[in-house]
Amino acid sequence: MKRVLSILLVLVTLFSIMPLTVFATTEGTEGLEYTLSDDGTYYIVYRYEGSATEVVIPSEYNGKPVKEIGYDAFSDCDSLTSITIPDSVTTIGEYAFYSCESLTSVTLGNSVTTIGEYAFEGCTHITNITIPDSVTTIGEGAFYRCYRLTSVTIGNSVTTIGDSAFCSCDSLTSITIPDSVTTIGESAFSHCYSLTSITIPDSVTTIGYRAFYSCESLTSVTIGNSVTTIGNSAFCGCYSLTS
């Protein structure tokens, strides 16, 4: 009897420390899996196992807000074409939508503050993205290899454009960097072959190593009055640059 009780106590202890994962049953969200935050106050989208082409993430589940899209949550979801992220979400985790090659439409809620590293890397069919004013950081490689991305609107609270954030966005022709940005990371816009002009505002102090490397169509660059550092090879391979 004592042995049985000991085993039961061990099992109870194990289950009490394991993260709680639950599954969505709301119509239209089948396949969404959630885990409760460490403090038990909100849910994180842990994984998507559905096959729907359009997914709208709910703002709450089981009476608690949904505040995060977790690491790797939607990666390699080949069928996904549209994702809508509600205003309740504050964080899009690393690799959250990695290599969702059919994804064409992304709607970000107005409370997102962080777009994690490589969050949308390899989403080769996204054509435009609007980053809301709530976002402060665009993580490393966040939109790396988004080959068909032609238009980007960056909100007025972004301070950091991470390393390789828009690297190899072959179709990107123009981008407006807001006055809030202070740092343009290494290789942030390298290999953006269609980019023709860029204006770097007075807020920027650092242009990273290879930031605009091999932007072969770039003809004009305006650099703001606060830049103190231009990294090595920042404009190397910009063969069309005349001004």
Side-chain angles (χ1 to χ4, degrees):
M1 179 61 72
K2 288 183 179 179
R3 181 179 177 83
V4 172
L5 287 173
S6 296
I7 293 172
L8 288 172
L9 284 171
V10 169
L11 290 173
V12 168
T13 302
L14 285 173
F15 280 114
S16 68
I17 63 175
M18 289 176 65
L20 176 63
T21 302
V22 294
F23 300 85
T25 56
T26 307
E27 184 178 356
T29 61
E30 290 85 354
L32 285 174
E33 300 178 13
Y34 300 89
T35 186
L36 200 58
S37 63
D38 290 341
D39 62 7
T41 61
Y42 64 89
Y43 279 105
I44 302 164
V45 177
Y46 172 76
R47 185 65 183 164
Y48 179 65
E49 295 290 352
S51 58
T53 58
E54 299 181 3
V55 173
V56 177
I57 295 173
S59 58
E60 67 174 43
Y61 184 75
N62 276 356
K64 298 183 189 305
V66 177
K67 296 185 70 172
E68 293 184 25
I69 311 297
Y71 173 90
D72 202 38
F74 288 84
S75 66
D76 297 306
C77 289
D78 296 336
S79 62
L80 187 65
T81 62
S82 173
I83 186 74
T84 300
I85 297 171
D87 289 345
S88 61
V89 170
T90 60
T91 302
I92 299 174
E94 298 176 4
Y95 298 93
F97 297 93
Y98 175 83
S99 198
C100 291
E101 295 185 353
S102 299
L103 187 61
T104 59
S105 175
V106 177
T107 302
L108 300 178
N110 291 321
S111 297
V112 173
T113 59
T114 302
I115 300 175
E117 296 181 3
Y118 302 98
F120 294 93
E121 182 194 346
C123 293
T124 55
H125 283 76
I126 293 177
T127 57
N128 63 82
I129 190 78
T130 297
I131 297 170
D133 288 343
S134 56
V135 174
T136 59
T137 301
I138 301 173
E140 178 179 341
F143 296 95
Y144 178 45
R145 295 191 302 116
C146 290
Y147 298 129
R148 289 175 176 79
L149 187 63
T150 60
S151 174
V152 176
T153 302
I154 298 178
N156 293 321
S157 296
V158 171
T159 60
T160 302
I161 299 174
D163 297 349
S164 301
F166 295 95
C167 179
S168 296
C169 291
D170 295 356
S171 302
L172 188 62
T173 57
S174 66
I175 189 164
T176 300
I177 298 174
D179 290 337
S180 56
V181 173
T182 59
T183 302
I184 299 173
E186 297 182 4
S187 299
F189 295 94
S190 68
H191 300 288
C192 289
Y193 299 124
S194 299
L195 192 65
T196 58
S197 67
I198 191 76
T199 297
I200 298 168
D202 289 343
S203 58
V204 172
T205 60
T206 302
I207 300 172
Y209 168 78
R210 289 194 171 192
F212 296 92
Y213 177 84
S214 198
C215 291
E216 296 177 356
S217 299
L218 191 63
T219 60
S220 174
V221 176
T222 302
I223 297 177
N225 294 322
S226 298
V227 170
T228 58
T229 303
I230 299 176
N232 292 342
S233 303
F235 296 96
C236 178
C238 296
Y239 303 119
S240 303
L241 191 61
T242 59
S243 172

